Amino acid sequence: MGRAPSIDDDVLLGHLAEVFRQAGYEGASLTALSSASGLHRASLYHRFPTGKPGMAAAVLDSVEQAFGAILDPLTAEDDPSAAVREMARRVGAFYADGRLACVLDTMTLSGAPDEIKVRAAGLATTWLSAMAGVARRAGATEPDAARRARAALVRIEGSLVVTRVLADPAEFQLALAELPAILIPSDPGR
Amino acid sequence: MGRAPSIDDDVLLGHLAEVFRQAGYEGASLTALSSASGLHRASLYHRFPTGKPGMAAAVLDSVEQAFGAILDPLTAEDDPSAAVREMARRVGAFYADGRLACVLDTMTLSGAPDEIKVRAAGLATTWLSAMAGVARRAGATEPDAARRARAALVRIEGSLVVTRVLADPAEFQLALAELPAILIPSDPGR
DNA sequence: GTCTATAATATGATAGAC
DNA sequence: GTCTATCATATTATAGAC
């Protein structure tokens, strides 16, 4: 809120986010955050006076903002199937085709501050609502739409874990391809 | 291999495993491992001369052993559907109804030694093979059985993440309930 | 086999020069 | 706004008493 962030801030947050996503909250050491961002530790504290929790919160802010753009097609595109396909495309880009983990996964392990966990839960809820919305627009009843949205989130998060464990992005790609069939009642599936 | 472990070793490994599962490899500090196990840090080093990597490897050993028992019904039980239902019951117990995370997820983040990641991948492969086996016995073609096994693993891992993020075990319970429909071609589903 | 004590290093964080 | 230098603490790990 307030002023628009400078491009530098966005780039910085991108670097920080990558560390938090790959290492989790505790694994994201100041040294790792420093070398990934190119800023020395003291400079990070200048930008984030509340330290590591502040950096994590800012990362979640930036992820929330990124998801604004990712979920935009779900309301902007008229055809529900096309909307989901475009969201899937943007989700694939955000997760670098499965090479990057999800903050919902890595930042909610024990060791993360409660505030971070609460924000992560909020992010998940936003995502679920948007996906349930498009399912509802496609004709699903409200409980069915909610069920479909949760199934889609489970599918994405699970495929990211399996992709990381097996070091094989195929499962993530498959999950993206099946999102329309999961979310849209009338979709013919794959 | 070699001698059978004493009950004390099993209890100790259970405590260590809980920390690694909830905090990830880097988040599992010696202090946390010490207080969870009741042993002082030096005593842990006596048991595991190679330190934290050795503890993590031993935890993966014990998880591998636990999965031997979890997957046993898949070959011991004649009826494929009943076999999967029994596996699902045991999986539910192992993950404490969704309250405990999966080592495949938490121990494969950046920061874990490569040896740990390799062992985790092996564990996942063992699990996938066992599930593909029961699907094949139930009449699935080989590629379909492999696909079903991966879908089941994705579903379990994803539901564990979503359950943790939303602090709601319902999604994990639902995943367990749907395992027969995912793995068994002729299963009527829910 | 477990403990107390301690070492060496890494971590989160701050002060102050430029 | 970024840097060097530094602090207090937590971390992994070892030595040696019991």
Side-chain angles (χ1 to χ4, degrees):
Chain A
M1 292 184 240
R3 281 187 304 118
S6 80
I7 178 73
D8 260 347
D9 282 355
D10 276 352
V11 169
L12 172 60
L13 277 173
H15 290 310
L16 300 184
E18 199 163 331
V19 177
F20 277 108
R21 287 167 76 174
Q22 291 184 348
Y25 182 86
E26 285 196 319
S29 69
L30 268 291
T31 301
L33 293 164
S34 166
S35 60
S37 65
L39 282 180
H40 284 228
R41 275 170 297 182
S43 307
L44 288 174
Y45 278 95
H46 177 78
R47 300 256 200 144
F48 305 96
T50 55
K52 190 168 154 178
M55 299 179 211
V59 162
L60 284 184
D61 272 342
S62 79
V63 169
E64 212 160 333
Q65 213 178 313
F67 261 83
I70 289 170
L71 303 179
D72 179 63
L74 296 186
T75 49
E77 162 66 48
D78 267 349
D79 176 45
S81 275
V84 171
R85 283 198 304 275
E86 177 58 19
M87 179 198 76
R89 204 187 58 74
R90 296 182 186 194
V91 167
F94 181 76
Y95 290 102
D97 296 320
R99 285 187 298 276
L100 288 174
C102 182
V103 290
L104 298 183
D105 181 5
T106 70
M107 287 179 78
T108 55
L109 298 179
S110 114
D114 280 346
E115 187 217 338
I116 297 300
K117 296 183 188 173
V118 169
R119 295 173 73 99
L123 225 169
T125 303
T126 300
W127 197 357
L128 286 170
S129 297
M131 290 194 290
V134 76
R136 191 117 172 71
R137 264 209 300 135
T141 64
E142 200 156 323
D144 187 48
R147 192 189 60 75
R148 286 172 181 274
R150 288 172 77 113
L153 183 58
V154 165
R155 185 70 189 269
I156 291 170
E157 297 295 333
S159 72
L160 285 170
V161 172
V162 171
T163 282
R164 180 175 74 241
V165 172
L166 299 180
D168 169 16
E171 207 54 43
F172 180 63
Q173 295 300 335
L174 189 59
L176 293 183
E178 294 193 352
L179 282 182
I182 294 172
L183 286 170
I184 308 297
S186 59
D187 194 279
R190 52 198 164 74
Chain B
M1 289 180 245
R3 282 187 304 117
S6 79
I7 177 73
D8 260 348
D9 281 357
D10 276 354
V11 169
L12 171 60
L13 278 172
H15 290 310
L16 300 184
E18 198 163 332
V19 177
F20 278 107
R21 288 168 75 176
Q22 291 184 347
Y25 182 85
E26 285 198 318
S29 70
L30 269 290
T31 301
L33 293 165
S34 166
S35 60
S37 65
L39 281 181
H40 284 227
R41 277 168 295 181
S43 307
L44 288 174
Y45 278 95
H46 177 77
R47 300 257 200 142
F48 305 96
T50 56
K52 189 168 153 177
M55 298 179 211
V59 162
L60 284 184
D61 272 342
S62 80
V63 169
E64 213 160 333
Q65 214 178 312
F67 262 82
I70 289 170
L71 303 178
D72 179 63
L74 296 186
T75 49
E77 162 66 48
D78 268 348
D79 176 45
S81 276
V84 171
R85 283 198 304 274
E86 177 58 19
M87 179 198 77
R89 204 187 58 75
R90 296 182 186 194
V91 167
F94 182 76
Y95 290 102
D97 296 320
R99 286 187 296 276
L100 287 174
C102 183
V103 290
L104 299 182
D105 181 7
T106 69
M107 286 179 78
T108 55
L109 299 179
S110 116
D114 280 346
E115 187 217 337
I116 297 300
K117 295 183 188 173
V118 169
R119 295 173 73 97
L123 225 169
T125 303
T126 300
W127 197 357
L128 286 170
S129 297
M131 290 193 290
V134 77
R136 192 118 171 69
R137 263 208 302 136
T141 65
E142 201 156 324
D144 187 46
R147 192 189 61 74
R148 286 172 181 274
R150 288 172 77 111
L153 183 57
V154 165
R155 185 70 190 271
I156 291 170
E157 297 295 333
S159 72
L160 284 170
V161 171
V162 170
T163 282
R164 181 174 73 242
V165 172
L166 299 180
D168 170 16
E171 206 55 42
F172 179 64
Q173 294 301 334
L174 188 60
L176 292 184
E178 295 192 352
L179 282 182
I182 294 172
L183 287 170
I184 309 296
S186 59
D187 194 279
R190 48 196 169 75

